[in-house]
Amino acid sequence: MAEIKNYTMNFGPQHPAAHGVLRLILEMDGEVITHADPHVGLLHRATEKLAETKPFNQSIGYMDRLDYVSMMCNEHAYVRAIEKLLGIEAPIRAQYIRTLFDEITRIRNHLMWIGTHGLDLGAMALFLYAFRERELCMDMYEAVSGARMHATYYRPGGVYRDLPEKMPKHKQSQWTKGEDLKQVNEWREGSLLDFIEAFANDFPSKIAEYRTLLEENRIWKQRTVGIGVVSPEQAKAWGFTGPMLRGSGVAWDLRKKQTYAAYDKVDFDVPVGVNGDCYDRYLVRMEEMSQSTRIIKQCVQWLKDNPGPVMADNHKVVPPKREAMKEDMESLIMHFKLFTEGYSVPAGEVYSAVEAPKGEFGVYMISDDSNKPFRVKLRAPGFAHLSAMNDMVKGHMLSDVVAVIGTMDIVFGEIDR
């Protein structure tokens, strides 16, 4: 029998399980990993530098394109940084709307994660199940912002507009006929809040379907239990946040520990793991979807009971209403200047972080009293997680590398920035 020699192997950036343009240089002893070296930078778009060349309010859309599965959560961190420097606060209704859509975004992210993670490990059906519900979350995004992904819905001082009173309906087509159309539009008869409430009431049964597909499947457990084990001490030392940290048993969640928006006014639990392996991180994310559903229901009820403004009454940062622009030349000029020149932000520095679906997403910003940020530095959770790749896969088989990449839930837009 021929002797097995050490060899070096490229994993990615064209690999379907690389979740973007990740390139891993794997040193192997047969099929066992002895060293893994992540190479990043293939998607670098200089987002931080671009944000420093534009007025503050023109970079909100860039945040959507960082972790492009957690759009509004990224916007939230950036907008909160501007609000802290300006010394303004969004109205309470806007805070509840932000909380609502942060959790809708968390569900969207975790649905994408469980679908692709399952696909990576051979669970084909789950991808189709998860995208069925993700489509409904995209409809919620589209209803408030006009875009299914890159919303630019959060603005300094509040949100772009209040929640619509009507939901768009599906029309007759070759795919929807007769009773099918009536069933498809059943949740769309009322407002967006009615639609979200119907989704939140139905979603727990869908989570149970995902669990049935995976947790009773011995192949899924063989691929995840005991793989990529991270102790609580290691997780903290490596700068893990989010489900990667909580999967190792550390109950750290910014929504509880450094609360923001309306999280101090809603009731929810922070799930934590025990063993710190891929399976525990899977369980944490599944339970997070259930907790997000709890928060969504509370926000919907509050928003139905409490109408009010969704933007701060501050003409320095808030554009005039469209009705005013049609009748008043001064309002039209103010609107034009606000979106071309922006506004000056008092000198200072600030760090603003949110509990994004993948972990702590933070924005460090310095203002020099001009209309553009002097410095923008983004703290992406995936970057810290990827740095632990070598330690997590060392001693595992080549096929386990795929499971570890999947459990990190990495998106390269935020890692390369």
Side-chain angles (χ1 to χ4, degrees):
M1 184 177 174
E3 184 184 350
I4 296 175
K5 296 181 180 179
N6 292 350
Y7 63 96
T8 304
M9 175 182 170
N10 267 316
F11 184 102
Q14 294 89 7
H15 197 286
H19 291 257
V21 286
L22 168 63
R23 181 184 178 217
L24 282 177
I25 311 292
L26 300 175
E27 293 176 18
M28 304 177 67
D29 179 9
E31 265 204 75
V32 177
I33 313 295
T34 57
H35 186 79
D37 184 14
H39 282 223
V40 301
L42 297 168
L43 192 68
H44 182 57
R45 291 174 294 182
T47 303
E48 293 156 331
K49 187 53 66 178
L50 282 167
E52 293 164 15
T53 65
K54 296 185 179 298
F56 285 88
N57 57 347
Q58 287 188 16
S59 294
I60 300 170
Y62 280 132
M63 301 302 121
D64 287 313
R65 290 156 176 84
L66 289 164
D67 175 1
Y68 37 78
V69 216
S70 310
M71 294 71 65
M72 288 198 199
C73 290
N74 301 345
E75 293 175 23
H76 202 164
Y78 181 77
V79 163
R80 281 185 69 228
I82 298 172
E83 288 173 346
K84 284 181 181 179
L85 287 168
L86 285 168
I88 63 173
E89 197 169 322
I92 184 65
R93 183 173 174 84
Q95 301 283 17
Y96 267 94
I97 291 173
R98 287 179 179 181
T99 305
L100 172 69
F101 271 93
D102 275 13
E103 295 311 308
I104 290 169
T105 304
R106 196 175 314 281
I107 288 174
R108 276 188 66 162
N109 179 94
H110 289 353
L111 287 173
M112 169 67 91
W113 162 78
I114 191 60
T116 53
H117 190 31
L119 204 60
D120 289 345
L121 302 187
M124 178 74 192
L126 190 71
F127 186 82
L128 305 174
Y129 278 64
F131 268 60
R132 175 187 60 189
E133 276 69 62
R134 193 167 180 270
E135 194 70 24
L136 299 174
C137 295
M138 282 184 156
D139 288 345
M140 298 170 198
Y141 259 55
E142 190 173 13
V144 293
S145 70
R148 285 160 60 79
M149 287 184 68
H150 305 310
T152 323
Y153 178 59
Y154 295 1
R155 307 287 169 90
V159 293
Y160 163 54
R161 62 178 180 185
D162 207 345
L163 305 176
E165 289 300 317
K166 286 178 68 177
M167 271 298 284
K169 293 184 180 180
H170 290 286
K171 295 183 178 178
Q172 191 84 30
S173 72
Q174 58 180 317
W175 295 284
T176 53
K177 296 176 182 176
E179 286 301 312
D180 289 342
L181 188 64
K182 187 177 178 183
Q183 188 177 351
V184 164
N185 285 328
E186 186 181 356
W187 292 356
R188 300 168 185 271
E189 298 297 333
S191 66
L192 171 61
L193 283 173
D194 294 328
F195 180 82
I196 295 172
E197 187 173 32
F199 171 83
N201 289 332
D202 180 66
F203 190 53
S205 66
K206 300 298 188 287
I207 297 173
E209 285 182 10
Y210 312 150
R211 285 181 176 274
T212 303
L213 281 167
L214 294 181
E215 287 172 27
E216 304 302 320
N217 189 318
R218 64 184 176 84
I219 300 172
W220 178 258
K221 287 194 172 181
Q222 285 168 347
R223 294 296 304 272
T224 55
V225 173
I227 304 298
V229 176
V230 179
S231 70
E233 295 73 28
Q234 286 174 317
K236 287 187 276 189
W238 288 335
F240 281 12
T241 52
M244 291 291 288
L245 179 62
R246 293 190 287 274
S248 293
V250 182
W252 178 263
D253 189 315
L254 293 182
R255 295 173 296 172
K256 291 275 193 185
K257 301 294 186 181
Q258 298 172 10
T259 191
Y260 56 95
Y263 282 111
D264 58 335
K265 301 174 182 68
V266 292
D267 184 40
F268 66 100
D269 299 319
V270 177
V272 292
V274 178
N275 303 312
D277 57 7
C278 289
Y279 188 68
D280 269 23
R281 291 187 282 271
Y282 150 78
L283 291 174
V284 164
R285 288 188 176 99
M286 295 302 280
E287 182 56 30
E288 278 191 8
M289 287 197 282
S290 298
Q291 296 302 321
S292 292
T293 309
R294 273 180 72 188
I295 296 170
I296 286 169
K297 286 181 179 178
Q298 293 169 69
C299 289
V300 166
Q301 192 56 54
W302 191 94
L303 289 164
K304 282 187 172 183
D305 296 341
N306 297 275
V310 295
M311 279 297 264
D313 187 18
N314 185 325
H315 298 301
K316 181 182 178 182
V317 296
V318 178
K321 290 191 164 42
R322 285 190 174 273
E323 295 78 13
M325 285 192 297
K326 291 173 182 175
E327 298 173 1
D328 179 23
M329 179 59 74
E330 190 177 343
S331 295
L332 183 64
I333 293 168
M334 281 176 62
H335 189 278
F336 179 75
K337 283 176 71 69
L338 191 64
F339 282 99
T340 53
E341 297 177 20
Y343 38 78
S344 294
V345 171
E349 60 181 297
V350 69
Y351 177 72
S352 167
V354 299
E355 186 65 42
K358 292 175 175 62
E360 179 179 332
F361 179 83
V363 177
Y364 172 65
M365 187 183 288
I366 302 176
S367 172
D368 58 356
D369 202 20
S370 69
N371 68 331
K372 298 171 185 172
F374 175 74
R375 182 76 177 96
V376 173
K377 177 72 176 75
L378 302 169
R379 194 272 177 203
F383 190 80
H385 300 157
L386 191 62
S387 68
M389 177 64 77
N390 177 53
D391 295 89
M392 288 182 72
V393 301
K394 193 183 293 183
H396 284 305
M397 307 287 276
L398 174 60
S399 57
D400 296 327
V401 174
V402 174
V404 171
I405 293 171
T407 198
M408 286 182 179
D409 190 15
I410 57 174
V411 160
F412 258 80
E414 68 168 17
I415 291 170
D416 283 345
R417 295 192 289 287

